Amino acid sequence: MIKLDKILYPTDFGESAEDALRYAVMLGEEFGSEVLMMHVLSLYQEGGVSPDEQFGKMEDYAQKYEDELQRKAHEHIDRLIANHADRNLKIRKVVTRGFSPYQEIIRVAEEEKADLIVMGTYGRTGVTHFLFGSTTEQVVRLADCPVLSVRHHAPHTRELSQIKNILLPTDFSEYSKKALPYAVSLAEKYHARLHVLHVFEQRIHPAFYLVDKETPFDLDKGLRDRALDALDEFVYNDLRGQIDFTCDVASGKPFVEIINYAKSHEIDLILIATHGLTGLEYMIIGSTTERVVRKAPCPVLSVKDPEHEFVRP
């Protein structure tokens, strides 16, 4: 059962946040949720400014601009609320001050016991992303509740009633099992087809290329069938007879294959688990989930175990 009592919608008033607002509003109306429209007056802005410049800006904010910034933030959110006054929607305004936006977003989500965070992302890449990350990706990694991320100018976004294809990537871990009830509930709710995908990470020795062995399926002819059987068993008790679903396997880099599958099958929503890696472990291993968030052609709902859940028995 889907029970969304409270949705947190952080906004920086940019175009990416506008894309996410539509989903926050749709979900709020659909499930009778209270929507918390949140803005963080941040004393630190990501993007490559030196520490000395940052502290200089902090001093300026404290002495000259903080009150004005706060006034404008309230005005912006009041305008957003007024724009949705004719909708059947409960909206509350939250304006906070903090050193870093993602920390404030996570703090407010925990204090308010938010069931879901809905936020936009620009899908940044390259050196800037490597050094400073993304507020959305940090929230995805660290928040205790699920996060729905909507990439700016994603080519495939729909009204909720038009969601027809949902993708659930799985590596058969306990983490990915955590995402399964969400996939089932949302597929039932919107009468959507669920695509369950497993990706074999391709690690073929170059010597095999000389004998036309380029994928794990070339090396082991029965691997695809065994993997499909395992997928069917993975979802059998939860899905059989309840919803329309299909299972598929691929080989390659998981995040690349997930994105390619989403594009080729016109996926409307990707539902994926995240391990919540941090620190050196994250820098070495990275996160398939966060790479999918960055590049997906449609919204991505990420869930983490343990977490504050909005799908309950």
Side-chain angles (χ1 to χ4, degrees):
M1 176 182 176
I2 298 175
K3 188 173 176 59
L4 274 173
D5 293 326
K6 194 174 292 186
I7 297 170
L8 179 61
Y9 164 67
T11 176
D12 61 1
F13 309 119
E15 292 177 331
S16 176
E18 289 178 6
D19 296 332
L21 177 59
R22 184 161 60 91
Y23 280 87
V25 169
M26 286 191 294
L27 288 165
E29 285 189 310
E30 180 90 24
F31 296 100
S33 317
E34 181 181 27
V35 177
L36 277 60
M37 290 192 175
M38 176 186 182
H39 178 70
V40 180
L41 296 171
S42 176
L43 304 181
Y44 169 76
Q45 297 294 329
E46 297 168 333
V49 180
S50 72
D52 288 342
E53 290 177 290
Q54 291 292 355
F55 284 114
K57 288 185 178 182
M58 288 169 56
E59 193 172 65
D60 286 342
Y61 287 149
Q63 294 178 1
K64 301 177 181 178
Y65 302 122
E66 277 196 27
D67 290 341
E68 180 66 11
L69 288 172
Q70 183 164 333
R71 183 186 66 78
K72 288 184 177 180
H74 281 280
E75 286 181 355
H76 278 298
I77 292 186
D78 287 341
R79 195 175 301 118
L80 290 178
I81 293 174
N83 289 342
H84 296 88
D86 60 339
R87 317 272 301 244
N88 183 25
L89 194 63
K90 297 176 288 185
I91 303 177
R92 179 152 55 93
K93 176 174 58 176
V94 180
V95 176
T96 69
R97 302 183 186 190
F99 190 72
S100 184
Y102 83 89
Q103 293 173 339
E104 281 299 295
I105 292 167
I106 292 169
R107 181 186 65 79
V108 170
E110 291 175 352
E111 289 182 358
E112 293 284 350
K113 294 182 172 56
D115 298 299
L116 175 67
I117 299 171
V118 180
M119 59 190 303
T121 182
Y122 282 92
R124 266 191 315 191
T125 58
V127 175
T128 299
H129 181 272
F130 177 77
L131 292 175
F132 297 97
S134 153
T135 295
T136 302
E137 289 171 32
Q138 288 168 320
V139 171
V140 165
R141 194 185 322 155
L142 299 173
D144 287 333
C145 65
V147 180
L148 179 65
S149 55
V150 183
R151 185 163 68 89
H152 182 45
H153 285 165
H156 200 190
T157 60
R158 292 185 181 274
E159 298 293 321
L160 292 177
S161 61
Q162 296 176 327
I163 290 178
K164 297 304 177 188
N165 290 285
I166 297 173
L167 174 58
L168 174 68
T170 178
D171 59 3
F172 299 109
S173 68
E174 291 300 316
Y175 292 103
S176 60
K177 287 181 181 179
K178 185 70 176 179
L180 188 56
Y182 290 87
V184 175
S185 296
L186 290 168
E188 285 182 318
K189 175 71 176 178
Y190 298 111
H191 306 289
R193 182 178 182 84
L194 180 63
H195 301 248
V196 186
L197 176 69
H198 176 69
V199 180
F200 288 94
E201 189 159 4
Q202 190 166 319
R203 295 176 179 173
I204 305 298
H205 192 279
F208 285 108
Y209 297 152
L210 300 176
V211 289
D212 296 325
K213 305 294 184 182
E214 297 182 359
T215 73
F217 307 124
D218 296 327
L219 291 173
D220 185 344
K221 295 299 183 182
L223 181 61
R224 183 183 294 275
D225 289 339
R226 294 199 304 274
L228 289 172
D229 288 343
L231 278 177
D232 194 66
E233 183 178 348
F234 177 76
V235 301
Y236 185 88
N237 292 331
D238 293 275
L239 303 185
R240 185 68 65 193
Q242 296 184 47
I243 61 173
D244 181 23
F245 75 96
T246 185
C247 297
D248 206 350
V249 293
S251 69
K253 290 185 177 180
F255 80 93
V256 172
E257 295 304 317
I258 291 167
I259 291 165
N260 287 342
Y261 189 98
K263 290 177 179 178
S264 63
H265 291 79
E266 296 187 337
I267 298 298
D268 304 304
L269 175 68
I270 298 173
L271 208 154
I272 188 169
T274 180
H275 293 217
L277 299 176
T278 58
L280 183 60
E281 184 180 20
Y282 172 77
M283 290 186 67
I284 294 174
I285 300 174
S287 166
T288 294
T289 300
E290 289 162 40
R291 290 169 178 167
V292 171
V293 165
R294 204 179 309 156
K295 289 292 187 178
C298 61
V300 179
L301 177 63
S302 56
V303 298
K304 186 174 69 176
D305 186 21
E307 65 164 340
H308 179 79
E309 302 172 325
F310 70 76
V311 171
R312 302 155 196 171

